[in-house]
Amino acid sequence: MNTTEEMLTEFLLREPLGSSGRTLQRELYLRLRQAIVSGRLAAGFQLPGTRTLARVLGISRNTAEAACQQLATEGYLLRDRRGARVVFLPQPAPGAEIQKSVKTYQAKLSLRAQAVASGSRRRQAPLLFSPGVPALNRFPLRRWSNCVENVLKTTGPALLAYGDPCGELALRNAIARHLSLARAIPCQAGQIIVTEGAQQALELSVQLLTNPGECAWLENPGYRGARTAFRQGELQIIPVAVDEEGMCCSPELWQSSPPALIYTSPSHQYPLGGVLSVARRFALLQRARETGAWIIEDDYDSEFRHTGDPVPAMQGLMTEPPVIYCGTFSKTMFPSLRIGYLVLPPQLVEAAMPVLNTLLRGGNRMTQLALAEFIERGYYARHLSAMRRLYRDRQLALRQALRDAIPCRHQIVGGGGGMHLSLVFASRLDDQALALQARRYHMAPAALSDFLHDESHLLSGLVLGYGNTSRSQFTASARRLGQLIAAAQR
Ligand SMILES: Cc1ncc(COP(=O)(O)O)c(C=O)c1O
């Protein structure tokens, strides 16, 4: 054996080639690759021909040939008439160096991503009083699974292909019919874009209608998901105060910070619960139309109105309104369904469609069709009315429990609809510390100050979701909250 052959046998055959349970070809490939990557076989090293390699290693020539060919295909070896040479590879950095460069990498998150993360909260498992979670144990799972099964049975493999980027037609039709009846929005399926929850609907609205740096108005306090979408779009966020009549858009504000986009939750302001008065609605629509601004109407929980009739949606108030209506099934069905939708005003459809057809892919088809069936069979309407009764009852009971248990001066607001009440403290308490303490007792109310988009510290209180907390738990939990509040006051 010459020196090259001796060297190769020394480290290629330190352990017998067949000992790992892999094929000989795979094992030889791996050992040679490791030797090249680690630098033991330096750049330019000339491997003997496969005939010699096979003899020295005691394997068949075919096996040696296949392993070398694989290394050549992947670019570790350069093969020519003389045999195979190891190519030049940048030297791997020592372990400590690698660690360092990984750290630098992690630190290189974009500023845009960092801004988004700073506004986010860790997802919690459903705990008592979690805002925004519907009564999960009351969902008619059997009916839902019938619909899913039926879709699978009746559609076949065609369903596995990409669907319409704007969503399944059956679902868009069902949504259009529901909105005309329940929300007084006269719309066609062609105006509806099915999204992955309201969050994607907000993000798409930002993408469609704004440019970085433009002003976007946000109710203050207001929905954090809208803030996230606005930050992602690099918009300049203008917090707009709200009172019991909803968003207060003063003439000075229109003058000083004309918006490209306005986010509002007019039927049930989130989280304080006011209804945007009809005078303010018309003023907002009028000014938006005059200035070319777009309004996002987030109608997240309007199906559950506890006092009086449902409040008609803004989008139905005029023809060609400057309004993008945004709906979700997260509250009326269940949050992990991840289905929401946009209703584009008719004048926007033609311009927006080519963009949406490029941005969206048309997935999630089975679930969309199952939901269409769930609506068409009447299960949705039945579930809605059962939940409306349940939430109305829970709202009254929680209100009573809080009234008896809260030791400080406060106001309870937001009970006109939906699935949460907001407890507003008359004087400032550290509500974020309170919300944190509540976790120790399996409760997850949100701190009201977390919904502020400025440093005003104008509000403190707790947002208490009752959708997924049963009535029997209210008295004891409210009493516990009362104790935490009393301790925070000392
Ligand atoms: C004001 C508001 N809008 C929309 C949503 C729904 O978001 P999604 O459909 O992305 O679950 C929520 C959920 O908590 C909400 O509170």
Side-chain angles (χ1 to χ4, degrees):
M1 267 197 222
N2 63 29
T3 40
T4 302
E5 292 168 12
E6 272 174 16
M7 179 186 137
L8 281 174
T9 42
E10 196 250 297
F11 70 83
L12 288 178
L13 294 182
R14 190 167 293 150
E15 305 226 351
L17 261 184
S19 60
S20 66
R22 301 187 185 99
T23 62
L24 290 178
Q25 173 191 325
R26 180 77 187 152
E27 192 57 33
L28 176 59
Y29 157 82
L30 287 173
R31 289 188 195 189
L32 280 170
R33 192 181 75 176
Q34 174 58 22
I36 294 168
V37 170
S38 66
R40 292 193 68 178
L41 288 184
F45 179 86
Q46 184 79 43
L47 278 176
T50 49
R51 190 194 305 268
T52 311
L53 203 56
R55 176 180 47 78
V56 170
L57 300 177
I59 56 178
S60 77
R61 187 170 175 196
N62 281 349
T63 302
E65 170 60 31
C68 288
Q69 186 50 45
Q70 184 61 30
L71 288 163
T73 305
E74 292 177 25
Y76 293 98
L77 294 178
L78 211 60
R79 300 191 89 178
D80 54 24
R81 260 183 279 115
R82 289 186 297 138
R85 258 178 310 115
V86 173
V87 301
F88 171 79
L89 290 178
Q91 274 303 297
E97 289 283 306
I98 289 177
Q99 283 297 326
K100 207 168 112 204
S101 71
V102 167
K103 279 210 188 102
T104 325
Y105 241 168
Q106 287 163 349
K108 274 170 71 179
L109 266 183
S110 74
L111 293 176
R112 180 202 301 242
Q114 288 174 43
V116 167
S118 74
S120 75
R121 291 281 170 280
R122 264 207 15 240
R123 282 269 156 231
Q124 296 292 330
L127 301 169
L128 303 182
F129 300 137
S130 291
V133 186
L136 301 176
N137 61 357
R138 301 294 182 102
F139 183 73
L141 263 183
R142 178 126 356 121
R143 287 189 178 146
W144 175 245
S145 86
N146 281 344
C147 294
V148 174
E149 269 171 39
N150 199 43
V151 166
L152 287 176
K153 245 189 269 157
T154 52
T155 46
L159 194 62
L160 306 182
Y162 286 114
D164 184 327
C166 295
E168 292 300 302
L169 187 59
L171 179 60
R172 294 160 79 198
N173 275 323
I175 293 172
R177 273 194 291 276
H178 171 75
L179 288 176
S180 311
L181 290 173
R183 306 299 298 126
I185 300 175
C187 60
Q188 309 292 322
Q191 288 168 256
I192 292 171
I193 318 298
V194 179
T195 59
E196 200 193 309
Q199 195 57 35
Q200 193 193 18
L202 294 173
E203 288 163 12
L204 280 176
S205 307
V206 168
Q207 266 179 300
L208 277 177
L209 302 169
T210 66
N211 295 304
E214 287 182 324
C215 286
W217 291 4
L218 201 50
E219 293 168 335
N220 193 35
Y223 182 46
R224 291 174 293 193
R227 182 172 65 194
T228 302
F230 286 2
R231 280 184 175 166
Q232 269 177 326
E234 298 176 66
L235 300 177
Q236 190 189 335
I237 294 173
I238 310 288
V240 181
V242 295
D243 61 19
E244 53 290 348
E245 277 188 63
M247 217 176 188
C248 316
C249 309
S250 65
E252 295 76 41
L253 197 61
W254 282 105
Q255 192 73 41
S256 62
S257 313
L261 201 56
I262 301 165
Y263 168 89
T264 181
S265 44
S267 297
H268 189 221
Q269 200 276 329
Y270 193 69
L272 293 184
V275 174
L276 190 63
S277 66
V278 78
R280 285 197 190 166
R281 284 172 191 237
F282 276 115
L284 190 59
L285 287 166
Q286 199 55 41
R287 286 294 281 151
R289 185 175 263 179
E290 284 163 15
T291 59
W294 290 100
I295 300 165
I296 299 178
E297 174 175 25
D298 183 355
D299 210 28
Y300 65 106
D301 70 359
S302 62
E303 288 86 352
F304 306 124
R305 192 75 213 153
H306 306 320
T307 51
D309 289 334
V311 184
M314 276 176 87
Q315 207 192 41
L317 280 184
M318 56 167 62
T319 48
E320 306 216 331
V323 177
I324 323 294
Y325 178 95
C326 171
T328 179
F329 289 96
S330 289
K331 319 290 171 198
T332 53
M333 294 283 286
F334 50 93
S336 69
L337 186 66
R338 302 313 302 140
I339 296 188
Y341 53 92
L342 285 172
V343 184
L344 300 177
Q347 72 275 24
L348 192 58
V349 173
E350 201 185 328
M353 279 308 166
V355 185
L356 291 168
N357 282 329
T358 312
L359 289 175
L360 302 173
R361 281 293 173 277
N364 214 4
R365 300 182 66 192
M366 266 172 259
T367 319
Q368 290 188 23
L369 288 177
L371 178 55
E373 186 155 332
F374 193 83
I375 297 173
E376 295 302 344
R377 285 193 193 185
Y379 297 159
Y380 185 62
R382 218 176 300 173
H383 181 54
L384 281 185
S385 55
M387 291 306 98
R388 210 173 281 128
R389 284 194 298 278
L390 180 77
Y391 297 148
R392 192 171 295 171
D393 178 53
R394 285 188 177 175
Q395 188 265 137
L396 291 171
L398 179 59
R399 197 179 267 278
Q400 186 58 50
L402 290 171
R403 200 171 292 143
D404 297 341
I406 303 304
C408 62
R409 279 184 47 232
H410 65 272
Q411 231 189 319
I412 299 171
V413 299
M419 308 184 306
H420 75 270
L421 285 173
S422 288
L423 180 65
V424 185
F425 301 138
S427 50
R428 214 180 108 63
L429 281 179
D430 187 345
D431 56 0
Q432 301 190 8
L434 259 175
L436 232 114
Q437 296 236 328
R439 298 289 156 104
R440 290 180 25 217
Y441 301 96
H442 206 66
M443 295 184 278
L448 205 45
S449 64
D450 260 349
F451 295 84
L452 291 168
H453 309 304
D454 56 13
E455 304 300 316
S456 62
H457 301 296
L458 269 177
L459 271 177
S460 70
L462 295 173
V463 181
L464 297 151
Y466 51 78
N468 200 32
T469 303
S470 74
R471 200 185 152 134
S472 62
Q473 291 166 302
F474 287 168
T475 309
S477 310
R479 203 173 296 144
R480 172 67 71 193
L481 277 179
Q483 288 163 355
L484 294 176
I485 293 168
Q489 279 180 305
R490 279 184 222 124

